[in-house]
Amino acid sequence: MQNDGSFVTAVHVCVFLDLNEGLRSSKQIAESIGTNPVLVRRLIGKLKDHGLVKVARGKMGGCQLAHQASDITLWEVFLAMRTDTHFRVRIRNEEDQIASGLPEALESVLAKAEYAMKQPLSGTTIRQVASKI
């Protein structure tokens, strides 16, 4: 699973954009989060790649949500932040019986875990989160 905080930080970005209309700079968002703008730009890039935010470049540029916050689910944000290491089982020693058999042994249970996460995240929107703040 993601343990670097990128999902929660990406939710913060989306809630910030919902609560602050118009184009917002990575510096403004970073100040809200308490991090640096470079990290924010990386997250915005992922959100943009998944169609969740729009970006305008240049001195007067910034980003904003690509859709209404009520149409963006936490599951969509989660998928945007998802990396290839999500529930990844690394095989470091292919000759070892446990290491080589572990991915197949865990496949079913990890699929169930992801499905269990999908249900509540799919049913919660950015707007719902923003309304609790």
Side-chain angles (χ1 to χ4, degrees):
M1 269 191 75
Q2 302 160 0
N3 59 7
D4 63 358
S6 61
F7 167 66
V8 173
T9 306
V11 171
H12 187 134
V13 169
C14 292
V15 169
F16 180 90
L17 294 174
D18 179 39
L19 296 176
N20 295 276
E21 292 184 24
L23 291 174
R24 296 295 165 177
S25 72
S26 57
K27 182 179 178 187
Q28 291 170 314
I29 299 167
E31 288 172 357
S32 174
I33 296 169
T35 191
N36 72 52
V38 173
L39 171 76
V40 171
R41 284 191 290 273
R42 285 186 194 133
L43 295 178
I44 289 170
K46 290 180 180 183
L47 292 167
K48 178 182 176 273
D49 290 346
H50 280 79
L52 302 177
V53 298
K54 296 186 282 189
V55 175
R57 300 201 183 275
K59 187 175 181 179
M60 300 303 291
C63 67
Q64 62 188 35
L65 293 177
H67 310 283
Q68 295 294 319
S70 57
D71 295 332
I72 300 172
T73 68
L74 294 183
W75 182 248
E76 291 171 302
V77 176
F78 179 82
L79 291 178
M81 294 300 110
R82 186 177 184 181
T83 65
D84 66 344
T85 59
H86 177 75
F87 285 142
R88 181 177 176 197
V89 181
R90 289 186 179 192
I91 301 175
R92 298 193 196 291
N93 181 359
E94 292 184 23
E95 295 177 16
D96 181 79
Q97 181 180 3
I98 296 169
S100 63
L102 202 53
E104 187 176 334
L106 291 175
E107 183 178 359
S108 174
V109 70
L110 294 179
K112 289 177 186 174
E114 184 170 319
Y115 180 77
M117 286 178 17
K118 181 178 181 179
Q119 299 310 304
L121 295 177
S122 300
T124 306
T125 67
I126 293 297
R127 178 63 44 85
Q128 289 171 318
V129 174
S131 73
K132 294 179 181 180
I133 295 174

